[in-house]
Structures are given as structure tokens and as C-alpha cells.
Amino acid sequence: MSNNVALARVDDPAELERFRAVQRLSYACADEVAATLEPGVTEREACRRMRRWLRAHGVDDWLHTPFAWFGDRSAFTGFRVPTQFLPSGTRLEEGMPYVLDMAPVKGGYCADIGYGGVLGENRIWDRVDADLAEHRTLILRLVRERRTFADVYAEVDALIERQGHRNRHRKYPGRVIGHQVGVIGGVLPKRVGLPFGVRFLQTIGRELVTERVKGRSPLWNGGDRSRHAPTPGLWAVEPHIGFRGVGVKFEEMLVVTEDDAYWLDDDLPHVRRWARRKAA
Amino acid sequence: MSEPTRRRVRGDGVDLAVYEQGDRSNPTVLLMHGYPDTHAVWDEVAERLAARFHVVRYDVRGAGASSRPFGAKHYAFEHLMADLRAVLDAAAPGRTVHLAGHDWGSIQGWEAVCTMPDRFASFTSVSGPCLDHVGHWTRRALGRPGPRGLRRAAAQGMRSWYIYFFQTPLLPEALWRAGISRAFTRALEIGEGVPARPGHPARTLPRDGAAGVGLYRANMAARLRRPLDRRTDVPVQVIVPTRDLFVSPHLVGGLAERVPNLSLRTVRAGHWVPRSHPDAVARWIAEHAAGAAGGPLTAAESRALRRARVTGDRRPFEGSLVVVTGAGGGIGRATALAFAARGAEVVAADLDLVEARRTADLAGRAGPAAHAVRVDVADAEAMEGFAASVLRDHGVPDVVVNNAGIGMAGPFLDHTADDWRQVLDVNLWGVVHGSRLFAAQMIERGQGGHIVNTASAAAFTPSRSLPAYATSKAAVLMLSECLRAELKGAGIGVSAICPGIVDSGITGRARFVGRDEAAQAEGRDRATRAYALRGFAPEGVAERIVAAVRDDRAVVPVAAEAHAARLLARVSPGAMRLLARLNVD
């Protein structure tokens, strides 16, 4: 299996459409599960609901199984070891922010989405969420300008600093703000290895090696490996900002071509929410 | 001074001397004196209240110009309450009044608001607990014999020596008559800083002291032994003097269970607060009365009421006003947010108004509405205007954080005179102006406060690379220590914070003197990366600043390197001098 099979062909509209369909499916799942969240629900229960929903809609593998972070866990408060990312028994309460994050695979095509919300009213969340909107515009503009990935990362962090927030993506393994995605295949079984799908790990592992040879990385962070112009492909981009125990993120796919870039889909819950807020 | 009019009111078998001043159409405040005082202990407070209230006072039976019945049984609560009702009927018929009591006047006040709450709109208690509550409190302290409960009970027991003494027959009366009153007057002057003046202590002190012993004999033992279940819905404000020799501040513990509408005001004072702090006491009585009556309040007043209110979910800085300079980013912003999250109303000042507004917006979401102001801390005139506007718009701040500062690095000879002036103007003069102007306001208000100055670990770390910066910060440290010594007596704390290497954004704006623009940028980049690598966030410093205010700490090194530098500077200055020769930039 050559490298090209795994990477998304960004010049093939049919292939992009299949990615878009999985991303839409994921956001539909997030919307529906979010609507069922009520005080007392635990993160584990929320994740169970997402898994069931996705399985029932034809999902057959995972890049990673669904995550849910409630309350100050949405801002990764006190996170030191990776196991803290896993769903916990934290219960949702009125006014609490939450983040849902899922990366399902359906027929080899995948999505990786982040979905922020709040149960009821939270004035801080409103502010942070409004500030997050700027990052979607900023990232796209900088990638179109062909600034290096490391540069984009630094600019995002600078904006977060000016906004008075903390960048929570630095807490992700490898401090990534994004990673490359492609078609998931291979001979390994569709199993989950706490909490990443093994076939995804195989793919990303292979990419790490091949891209390293080219002096690039399928992971996008602020480090030296990301000091290169945007690599063509599909990138799941996930800026995550936090303010005092309130974290908000989005994660969606950015299509990077040789000389341009665009978001795979603009008809998404958070984009519509920001537009409504701006109109109000 | 408006002279009170005096008249006599027939109480429960006694004649009472009642004094009134102020316009009778205003709300009525009744001030009750304690033992061994007369109504005159309230003179200063009454005069201040008379402009806004109809002020009523009377000499309790056994004191001053009122009748002096013989025998302890005449001083039991039932007679005292009957006297009080008679005075209310005569001076404020058909009206609810605002009651304030000191010492035994407060003990009577508790009895009154618990037994006839419909007569009172509010109650201010000064240094006189509800006896039944003390009974319950003591039982609880002894019932759960932890070392702390026992210690507190024992401490209050020691403070109450005079109560046991007053139970001995004849001896106390004999001592009063024998001329102990002169020693009492002297002790008041030396111990409490309350000099004698006409009217207080009264000329009748020997007779008042002897007769008033009846108050203790008739009431104390019974109530402390078998406390009643006393509660009240009247809004109560307890003024707690923290240096009271007779009443322990811990006595207010558990009070909120019996008084749902409770406020506390602590003041660094002794027992005779109405004499030593008449301004504060009068202001608090007026504020409390206005709050209880739903009257018009200024922003500062309503914040002060919020601050005093005791509630279960009260945040530690609820109702405090906190001013932070350099609040547009880094440590200043984090500090503003940390105080806001604890309930403080924040004034965020910065040279950059956009950034200050951003901080105020964020602070306003974590806590009460915050305010943004543009000010250049180096500009004396601007700072005067700033301090005046804070006072006018929001009142006297409870905490001032002089945080604005700039970084400058490079060899000494590359610093121009202007470089020096710039660093000292912001880093040192900014702190001087902030401390000077706001400390004056705090002293004037007389309710204490706290000043926090952001120094640096560079204050005790000599370095060839940071001559101007380190000098300015060393000066801030010394200024803070001097100021702390001076303001201690006024109940104002001063803390110097020495953060260390904090990823605060200061490196991105620092100047590297003697370099061209490109080299400057490179220096900034390198320093910023190094500081980011250290990974100590401003939030960590902000938490320590909050703790420094709470615990009144003098010098607070924050990061590990700041602690290490301070230790080394003390243990081996020679080693520090060697390290200072390293050229790090």
C-alpha cells in the first residue's frame, strides 16, 4: 500500500464529499447528543451515547473513540497525565461548559470534530466562544498566505494571549493544533487501543515516518518540525482556548491544496452560532 | 456641635434621662451605651449621625442622670426591656427605629431585637454579644474538645475575668467608690488611645460603675448556664474590633445560623470603638440603616454592604474594590481576574486602553462589573487624576496592586540617561505614585487596606545584564518594606511580590539597550522563548498575590528561582556577586 492511498486526494471532489458526509454525520451526532445532556449526566454516559449513535449510523471504526469534557475539564484544568483526557465520572451541572470530541470512521473515510457547548447560561462561555470565532478566520487566512505551520501556531497563540485566554491545545499530546487525516485502511483489525483506533495509529505512525523523511510532520504544532509551508492534504484543525475553567474548541477539516486552502464545510453548528451572535 | 435636648421619661419604676438631637422627621437611630459608660460615650457618633437621623440616646438605669435603683434584681432584662419600650414610646411613637448598642448596650440590643423585632428596622452590635449565643457558643466549643475550640473558649474565659469578679459581693462596689475610676480613665487612655474628654468617662463614673455591677449579677449567670434559643430576622450588623480586650472576635462564630440577615465589619481597634473610631462607626450605622431601609446608596456604600454581608456562598473578596495597574496583560491581567473571580470589583488600569478594556470585560464576566482606565503610571499628574477619579466613581480601594513595569537589559554604559529615566519613571515612580495616593485614601477612610507592589527576583539578584531594571526593582522592594513599617499602625498591609521568570509578556516589550532594531527583536525573541520554556504562567503569580493580601505577607518570592536567589543572596552574597558577572541576555 503506497502512501498516496492513505492521504486524502484533495483534488477529487467525490472523495472530499465523502469526508464531508462523515463530518456532517459527526456534527449531527454532537447536536443530537448535546440536546439530550441534562444535569447529572456523566462524561462516560455522554460518550456512550455518542458511540451508540454513531454505530447506529454506520460508523465502523475510530480514529479515536468519543471524548467528553465537562466543567473545568473543558479547559483541561489540572491535566498532567494523558489518562485525564479519558471520559470521567464528572457530572454535568447547570451553567457548566462542555466539549464533545469524536473521530469516527465510516467505510474508510473519517472525521475528527470538536463541539463546544454550555448547559444553560454562562457569560464567560459566551465571551470565550465569541473569541474562538476569530481563530477560524485567522487560521484560514494565514494558511492561504502560505505561512509556515509553526508561524500559524504562533499567531494563534498570540491572538489567544491578546484575548486574555490560555491556549489549551498545548495540553494535547505533542502540543498539536492539528493533524493530517486520510483514508483509513490496512490489514489490522478494527479495534480500539485506548482510545485510538489501531488502524489510525498504524496510519499516523506510517505518516510520521514518511513525512519525517521529507522533513515534515503529519502533526501540526509550534515546533521546528512544523517550520514548513502548509502541506497539501486534509488537516483536522483544533484550536482550543480556555479562560478560568471554561474551555471552548472547534475541530474541523481544513482542505489544503498546493496553492490554496478552504474549510471542508461551512455549514456547521458553531459557524451558524457565531453568525447568529454577530447578527444579534 | 448640635446640643442634644434632654427630657425625662418614666421607665419601669425609674426615671430615665433621654437625649435627642437631629430632625425628628428623619429616621430614628437609638444609641445604647454600655458599662460603665453613659450616653456620652456616643457623643462623637451621635454628632455625625444627627445630620441624617433623629438620634436618641438615654442613660440606662444605674448610669448617668437616670435613677439608680439599689439591688441586683432591679437590673434584670425584664426591667431593662421595659425601660427601652418606654423610651421608644416616648421618643419614636409608632415608628421602627435603627438600634445600635455598645458593650452592655449591645447585649440589651440583642435581647430587644430577639424579643420585640417589630420595633426595629436594623441593629448594629458593637462589642456586646447575645448572652444566649455566648452560652451556646461555649457549649459547642467545650462539647467538641478540639485544641482550637478549647483554646478559644479558654481565651474568652480569660477575657471575661471581670464577669466572675463582678459576681463577688460588695468588693467591686467598694473598689469603684475607693477611687479606681481614676485608674480606669488612665487605662482607657493608655490601653485604647481614648483620652478623657468632658462627659466621658462621666463624672458619675464611681457611682455608675458600682450600680452597673447589677447588670452582671442579675443576668449573666442564668443566661450562660441555660441559654435560650434566641433568633431574629432584624438585619444585624456586628462590628468586630479585632483587638478587643474583653470580647473575643471568635464569638461571632455560628451566629449566622441564628441571624439570617447578618453582616460583619471588622476594625483594627480596641473595645471602645465608638470613641476611637467614631467616623467609621457612624458611617457603618448609617450604611447599614440605609441598606436595611432600602434607601438610596452610592456605589461605594452598596459595595461596602455587600462586602460585610455574611452568606454561605460568599466569595472571599466580595464587595472589595481592587485597583490594578499594568492590568492590560501578563501578571496584571491575571491578578485582576483572580480578584474578580473572588468577588472583587476591579479597576483595570493600563497605558493601553484597549487591553485594559479587554481585562475589564473578562473580569466582569468572572465577577462584578469591572472598569477600565487609561493611565500612565509614570505621569504624576495623570496618577493624581486617576486616584481622584477612582475615589469619586467607586470609593476607596481595598487593595491596590502597583504592577505596571517595563523591562530593560544591556550593559550599564549602553544605558543612556533617558533609558534610566524611563525605567525609573515607570518601575519606581509608578509605584511611588500609586502607593502615595491610594495609601492616603486608605488612611483617611480608616478601614485598613492592602498595597501590593510587583518587584522582581531581580531585586535581590545583581546582574551585569540588568543594571537599570534590577536597580528599579530593588528600590520597589525597599520602598515596600519601609511603607509596610509605616502603614502597619493604620491596618494597611504592604506586600512586595518577587515573581522570578514568568511568561508574562514583559520580554516581548523589553528593551535591549545598545543594539539595533534587528538585534533587539532577536533578543526579545530569545528571552521570550526562554521564558516560555520555563513555563511559569502569570496565573501562578496572581494566586500568590491574592494569598499575600489574604495573609498579609511582606515579601513574596514566587517561582523556585526567586526563592533560590533570595536564599543565596542571604547565605552567600559573594556567590551572588560571582553569578552577577555572568553575561546572560
Side-chain angles (χ1 to χ4, degrees), chain A residues 40-220:
Chain A
V41 176
T42 63
E43 292 177 357
R44 287 198 194 95
E45 171 59 23
C47 290
R48 201 154 34 230
R49 289 179 193 175
M50 287 187 270
R51 274 203 309 275
R52 284 206 192 114
W53 194 99
L54 291 166
R55 286 282 187 200
H57 287 77
V59 165
D60 53 18
D61 196 6
W62 311 96
L63 302 188
H64 63 74
T65 54
F67 290 108
W69 301 298
F70 291 174
D72 64 1
R73 282 173 51 84
S74 68
F76 296 167
T77 304
F79 278 30
R80 291 188 195 287
V81 291
T83 52
Q84 287 174 296
F85 288 96
L86 298 175
S88 74
T90 306
R91 289 179 188 282
L92 197 60
E93 291 167 23
E94 198 57 40
M96 257 193 191
Y98 58 82
V99 172
L100 307 178
D101 188 312
M102 65 192 95
V105 181
K106 187 178 174 183
Y109 290 88
C110 62
D112 195 345
I113 68 146
Y115 180 97
V118 63
L119 189 69
E121 288 281 311
N122 186 322
R123 293 178 62 226
I124 295 181
W125 187 87
D126 291 345
R127 175 79 261 167
V128 185
D129 182 51
D131 292 338
L132 181 65
E134 289 181 47
H135 291 275
R136 195 173 186 267
T137 323
L138 175 77
I139 290 169
L140 183 61
R141 179 168 61 77
L142 296 174
V143 172
R144 279 184 170 160
E145 286 171 8
R146 308 284 297 163
R147 297 275 292 275
T148 69
F149 272 161
D151 257 5
V152 180
Y153 187 96
E155 291 283 341
V156 168
D157 273 8
L159 177 57
I160 293 173
E161 161 88 30
R162 285 198 299 281
Q163 289 172 331
H165 305 313
R166 310 271 292 144
N167 64 345
R168 300 331 283 164
H169 40 260
R170 79 181 272 164
K171 288 269 183 179
Y172 286 101
R175 300 185 168 190
V176 297
I177 195 174
H179 59 86
Q180 207 161 10
V181 291
V183 183
I184 301 298
V187 292
L188 289 176
K190 293 173 178 175
R191 296 285 277 281
V192 176
L194 265 187
F196 296 99
V198 291
R199 301 212 291 185
F200 168 63
L201 290 177
Q202 178 204 8
T203 316
I204 202 87
R206 192 181 57 224
E207 290 304 320
L208 273 170
V209 175
T210 53
E211 289 289 291
R212 182 79 190 94
V213 172
K214 298 182 194 165
R216 301 186 302 208
S217 165
L219 301 179
W220 171 359

Side-chain angles (χ1 to χ4, degrees), chain B residues 103-353:
Chain B
D103 187 80
W104 254 98
S106 169
I107 295 176
Q108 291 187 63
W110 278 108
E111 182 72 11
V113 294
C114 288
T115 56
M116 39 180 167
D118 48 317
R119 308 292 292 256
F120 304 101
S122 77
F123 174 43
T124 298
S125 157
V126 190
S127 276
C130 173
L131 290 187
D132 302 285
H133 183 256
V134 176
H136 288 295
W137 182 87
T138 312
R139 279 170 176 224
R140 198 149 61 164
L142 295 175
R144 273 185 312 193
R148 190 201 274 176
L150 276 179
R151 197 171 59 237
R152 287 181 179 173
Q156 178 55 42
M158 302 268 282
R159 288 178 210 232
S160 308
W161 57 269
Y162 56 97
I163 298 178
Y164 321 120
F165 173 66
F166 286 156
Q167 307 296 330
T168 40
L170 297 176
L171 186 60
E173 284 95 324
L175 280 176
W176 279 117
R177 303 245 184 243
I180 199 182
S181 51
R182 211 169 308 136
F184 174 85
T185 306
R186 192 91 186 97
L188 206 57
E189 186 160 354
I190 296 169
E192 303 249 338
V194 173
R197 59 146 167 78
H200 188 259
R203 278 187 297 110
T204 49
L205 180 62
R207 278 171 289 156
D208 298 344
V213 170
L215 294 168
Y216 292 87
R217 290 188 185 146
N219 303 302
M220 280 274 183
R223 290 299 178 88
L224 294 182
R225 216 173 287 142
R226 276 184 299 279
L228 305 172
D229 193 22
R230 290 281 200 235
R231 295 162 191 281
T232 184
D233 288 326
V234 174
V236 177
Q237 156 177 261
V238 181
I239 295 176
V240 186
T242 53
R243 319 184 78 180
D244 194 323
L245 287 177
F246 306 105
V247 182
S248 150
H250 298 300
L251 275 178
V252 293
L255 195 54
E257 296 161 23
R258 293 165 189 282
V259 185
N261 192 338
L262 178 67
S263 300
L264 288 183
R265 312 258 202 178
T266 51
V267 51
R268 202 182 145 82
H271 184 72
W272 269 272
V273 222
R275 284 280 333 265
S276 61
H277 293 74
D279 280 319
V281 172
R283 184 168 59 238
W284 289 339
I285 291 174
E287 273 176 14
H288 182 56
L297 294 163
T298 65
E301 284 170 342
S302 64
R303 192 177 47 247
L305 288 176
R306 242 186 13 257
R307 187 174 179 207
R309 188 70 198 271
V310 179
T311 53
D313 56 354
R314 188 182 179 282
R315 293 182 284 184
F317 284 88
E318 197 76 58
S320 300
L321 181 67
V322 177
V323 173
V324 182
T325 66
I331 294 172
R333 174 178 279 171
T335 303
L337 298 178
F339 277 111
R342 287 168 173 80
E345 184 174 335
V346 170
V347 177
D350 201 287
L351 195 54
D352 185 335
L353 185 58

